[in-house]
Amino acid sequence: QLVYPHDFRLTEKEVTTLRSPSPSFGSSGVSLGAGFLQKTSICYLSFPDSYSGGLGDTQFSFRLRQAGGSRNSPFQDDGRYNREAPVTLQREAAHYFGYVYFRQVKDSSMRRGYFQKSLVLVSRLPYVNLFQCLLQLIAPEYFDKLEPCLEAVCNEIDQWPPPVPGQTLNLPVMGVVIQVRIPSRVDKPGSSPVKQCNQENLLPAPLVLPSVHELDLFRCFQPVLIHIQMLWELMLLGEPMVVMAPSPTMSSEMVLALTSCLAPLRYCCDFRPYFTIHDSEFKEYTTRTQAPPNIVVGVTNPFFIKTLQHWPHILRVGELRMSGDLPKQVKVKKLAKLKTLDTKPGIYTSYKTFLHKDKTLIKRLLKGIQRKRPSEVQSALLRRHLLELTQSFIIPLEHYMASLMPLQRAITPWKNPPQIRPFCQEDFMKSLEHAGPQLTCVLKGDWLGLYRRFFKSPNFDGWFRQRQREMTQKLEALHLEAICEADIVAWMKDKSEVEIVDLVLKLREKLVRARCQHLPVKEETLQRVSLYIDTIIGSLPEDLQAVLHHP
């Protein structure tokens, strides 16, 4: 019915071009970005996909693939943001997140007897807590006052500062100030959020969000606590998984919780917190002519039990039921027991875990339930366990990768920097004998088998490419520093004009690359290289100087 800001014209055509007016937080974070988005997909993903008898307001989220067109980001600060944000919170070039506030109430004046409407916020940023909080403020007003409300809200959001990692922001909207801290890559993993500041001068007192993105993990995982080890392994290995839930809220929260449990390692596979039969990728995911893709997909329509029953891992969750004081835990069941009708909650899989269960964690969580420990404390306990597990697994890989870096003394100013040595899986496996996960993790099991399987997963590929890119950039930076320390005049004494001109061109190329790729080089170093170039050009004959000054 309505799109704000108005200059994002959504026509009746399935694919629509969207533009963004400025690089502020509002237009880069909350509004729609550049590229192509499917109007029909957004509409279908904004409503429950199966019969929902529940009345009232519900919130959930979805993730949508950009449907072709230019992938270049229009946001001026994209490069800086992605460099400084944790890898798990970077803007995605090819996907959008949708945050939905859905209202269903009885209304005899409507043809169906119900008022059913959704307000959807679309962003490239995975700030689920911030945007759902924002919708809680906006949506009830919008349903009453319609377009004037959205116009006022968008005007306020357009004044928000950009989301700079490490900064605490005060975001005014509708008479409320939301205070959030944008996480930074340099934050210590697992540390508590930095204490919010600047509250004493704010009237009214701000609405402080402890995190822009972290879910209540304990609440999300309540029915599967005893299987947390298995679910972590399935996520680590990028296994295809279906989450079948009674509502889009449960579906989307479970998928987001699963994909977040690898932090600080990035989950590099595809994931759809909520997916419907109308999605353009429905045929791709339901075909039996090829193996299911590496994706976690959340669904609510019972029809998916039939169409996705060939998938290797299916998590069926129902409404939370208690067994005494404790949440009833689902059981692991064979895939053959998956019935098309009336499928009971359970994890339907033939997967055998590589690592043993951490019974100590389960006992601590169950004791916390009995003692009525607050959910946020239980979540912190669970998040800490998952963080330590991921770190124990990834630190040996980080150490081995660092050993492939050439020694600094091998980097000389007048030769190309040496190559990073190739990653050899067998050499890495040998290194585990004296530097493996057993040093930091008490869990026993087949760690070697888990690593071998991990090497075949998209998560390893994503991690390795990221590390290789960072190491290559570090080598480039060290090479520039070596050039700065060299005696350039002495080098030039016995060199021909051709060699000197060639050096000027190479140094210029390095300088441009260092600035474009934002290499980890001090500005002082870049200025010195620029000065070197001018010095070299100044020593050449005037005709060459003219050419090199005006290439």
Side-chain angles (χ1 to χ4, degrees):
Q1 286 184 337
L2 184 64
V3 178
Y4 246 91
H6 274 317
D7 54 359
F8 304 131
R9 290 186 183 85
L10 281 172
T11 65
E12 288 309 307
K13 293 177 184 176
E14 182 172 285
V15 180
T16 311
T17 305
L18 304 173
R19 295 179 295 105
S20 184
S22 70
S24 72
F25 193 115
S27 44
S28 67
V30 178
S31 308
L32 302 172
F36 293 91
L37 268 179
Q38 293 169 313
K39 176 187 176 183
T40 48
S41 290
I42 291 178
C43 291
Y44 280 122
L45 287 165
S46 302
F47 288 92
D49 187 29
S50 54
Y51 171 73
S52 174
L55 296 177
D57 298 351
T58 54
Q59 289 184 260
F60 55 95
S61 55
F62 60 82
R63 183 169 173 267
L64 185 68
R65 186 187 294 174
Q66 186 169 297
S70 170
R71 296 284 165 103
N72 294 328
S73 172
F75 309 122
Q76 297 169 14
D77 68 334
D78 242 10
R80 181 187 173 189
Y81 174 82
N82 277 1
R83 283 194 314 280
E84 297 178 2
V87 290
T88 52
L89 290 182
Q90 289 175 342
R91 277 201 191 95
E92 295 192 40
H95 291 88
Y96 290 94
F97 290 90
Y99 304 95
V100 182
Y101 192 106
F102 170 66
R103 172 168 288 183
Q104 177 171 277
V105 291
K106 284 186 177 178
D107 186 342
S108 55
S109 67
M110 309 295 280
R111 187 165 58 89
R112 292 185 175 186
Y114 286 93
F115 170 94
Q116 292 173 309
K117 189 172 278 192
S118 284
L119 181 64
V120 187
L121 185 153
V122 180
S123 170
R124 287 197 188 276
L125 293 166
Y127 293 171
V128 60
N129 286 353
L130 172 60
F131 292 143
Q132 292 291 22
C133 171
L134 186 61
L135 282 172
Q136 286 168 16
L137 297 171
I138 301 169
E141 284 287 307
Y142 164 68
F143 292 139
D144 287 341
K145 299 175 182 174
L146 302 178
E147 189 170 343
C149 166
L150 283 194
E151 184 173 12
V153 163
C154 284
N155 286 337
E156 286 187 291
I157 290 173
D158 255 349
Q159 305 307 311
W160 287 4
V164 178
Q167 286 191 5
T168 296
L169 305 179
N170 295 309
L171 310 173
V173 62
M174 295 182 64
V176 176
V177 176
I178 303 173
Q179 190 172 90
V180 291
R181 182 182 179 275
I182 307 300
S184 167
R185 187 173 290 201
V186 298
D187 294 344
K188 186 181 175 185
S191 60
S192 301
V194 175
K195 206 171 184 181
Q196 309 292 343
C197 53
N198 301 331
Q199 293 188 25
E200 63 278 1
N201 299 324
L202 291 172
L203 289 171
L207 172 60
V208 179
L209 295 186
S211 166
V212 289
H213 69 291
E214 286 183 345
L215 294 167
D216 185 341
L217 274 194
F218 176 71
R219 182 174 55 77
C220 295
F221 284 145
Q222 272 199 91
V224 292
L225 287 174
I226 62 171
H227 307 298
I228 207 76
Q229 187 73 44
M230 173 188 279
L231 295 171
W232 176 84
E233 285 189 23
L234 291 173
M235 292 301 101
L236 182 72
L237 302 175
E239 286 288 309
M241 179 185 280
V242 183
V243 174
M244 293 181 173
S247 70
T249 306
M250 287 185 72
S251 150
S252 58
E253 285 191 344
M254 180 62 85
V255 171
L256 290 177
L258 285 168
T259 55
S260 74
C261 73
L262 295 184
L265 186 67
R266 182 177 193 160
Y267 181 76
C268 296
C269 306
D270 200 356
F271 61 97
R272 300 300 162 89
Y274 176 51
F275 187 79
T276 76
I277 57 174
H278 305 285
D279 199 285
S280 58
E281 285 127 335
F282 176 74
K283 284 184 180 177
E284 179 187 335
Y285 295 163
T286 54
T287 180
R288 297 188 182 220
T289 57
Q290 59 194 46
N294 299 97
I295 181 173
V296 182
V297 60
V299 300
T300 60
N301 193 325
F303 179 67
F304 280 109
I305 296 172
K306 183 177 181 181
T307 55
L308 297 178
Q309 62 183 330
H310 61 291
W311 280 44
H313 318 288
I314 296 173
L315 170 57
R316 179 83 162 93
V317 290
E319 297 292 352
L320 188 64
R321 287 162 53 203
M322 302 302 287
S323 177
D325 290 338
L326 308 178
K328 193 171 178 66
Q329 299 294 290
V330 303
K331 294 178 180 177
V332 176
K333 303 180 180 184
K334 292 178 180 176
L335 279 163
K337 292 194 173 180
L338 188 71
K339 295 176 183 174
T340 308
L341 295 172
D342 193 28
T343 301
K344 292 182 178 178
I347 302 177
Y348 293 84
T349 180
S350 57
Y351 180 80
K352 297 284 183 271
T353 57
F354 287 91
L355 306 180
H356 305 320
K357 277 183 185 176
D358 188 339
K359 292 180 181 175
T360 309
L361 170 78
I362 295 164
K363 283 177 184 174
R364 288 176 72 188
L365 290 172
L366 294 180
K367 190 178 284 185
I369 296 171
Q370 290 166 337
R371 292 180 176 177
K372 296 185 168 47
R373 195 184 286 153
S375 186
E376 58 267 26
V377 178
Q378 295 277 78
S379 279
L381 193 69
L382 191 50
R383 189 170 278 109
R384 184 84 216 167
H385 168 79
L386 292 167
L387 170 69
E388 289 173 355
L389 190 55
T390 301
Q391 285 181 323
S392 293
F393 182 82
I394 214 74
I395 284 172
L397 281 163
E398 298 278 8
H399 285 167
Y400 175 73
M401 196 73 185
S403 74
L404 304 178
M405 186 82 165
L407 295 173
Q408 195 160 345
R409 64 171 177 265
I411 300 168
T412 57
W414 315 123
K415 289 182 181 176
N416 285 331
Q419 295 288 307
I420 299 163
R421 292 198 303 283
F423 189 105
C424 175
Q425 292 183 16
E426 289 311 311
D427 285 351
F428 167 72
M429 291 301 210
K430 287 173 188 172
S431 76
L432 294 176
E433 292 174 18
H434 52 84
Q438 71 277 6
L439 298 180
T440 53
C441 187
V442 295
L443 285 189
K444 305 293 182 193
D446 183 9
W447 286 97
L448 296 184
L450 187 60
Y451 279 114
R452 288 191 194 283
R453 187 90 169 258
F454 177 67
F455 289 144
K456 299 173 185 175
S457 77
N459 287 327
F460 170 71
D461 187 58
W463 171 84
F464 178 72
R465 286 171 187 268
Q466 171 83 9
R467 285 294 172 269
Q468 197 171 42
R469 186 162 56 247
E470 290 170 356
M471 288 166 71
T472 304
Q473 290 181 346
K474 179 67 176 171
L475 277 175
E476 283 279 337
L478 290 171
H479 193 223
L480 277 171
E481 287 172 13
I483 291 167
C484 281
E485 299 300 322
D487 186 344
I488 210 145
V489 176
W491 178 86
M492 286 166 52
K493 278 180 184 173
D494 58 345
K495 299 296 183 290
S496 67
E497 285 180 0
V498 172
E499 289 174 297
I500 292 171
V501 169
D502 185 52
L503 176 67
V504 169
L505 297 176
K506 282 182 178 175
L507 287 179
R508 270 192 178 151
E509 186 187 339
K510 276 185 169 293
L511 211 53
V512 169
R513 195 160 60 239
R515 293 194 185 281
C516 290
Q517 295 181 3
H518 303 281
L519 297 185
V521 188
K522 293 176 185 172
E523 183 59 33
E524 178 191 347
T525 302
L526 297 178
Q527 287 173 0
R528 283 177 68 185
V529 173
S530 189
L531 196 62
Y532 271 7
I533 293 170
D534 291 341
T535 303
I536 298 168
I537 292 174
S539 70
L540 294 168
E542 287 186 7
D543 58 333
L544 280 175
Q545 285 188 38
V547 171
L548 289 170
H549 276 307
H550 304 285

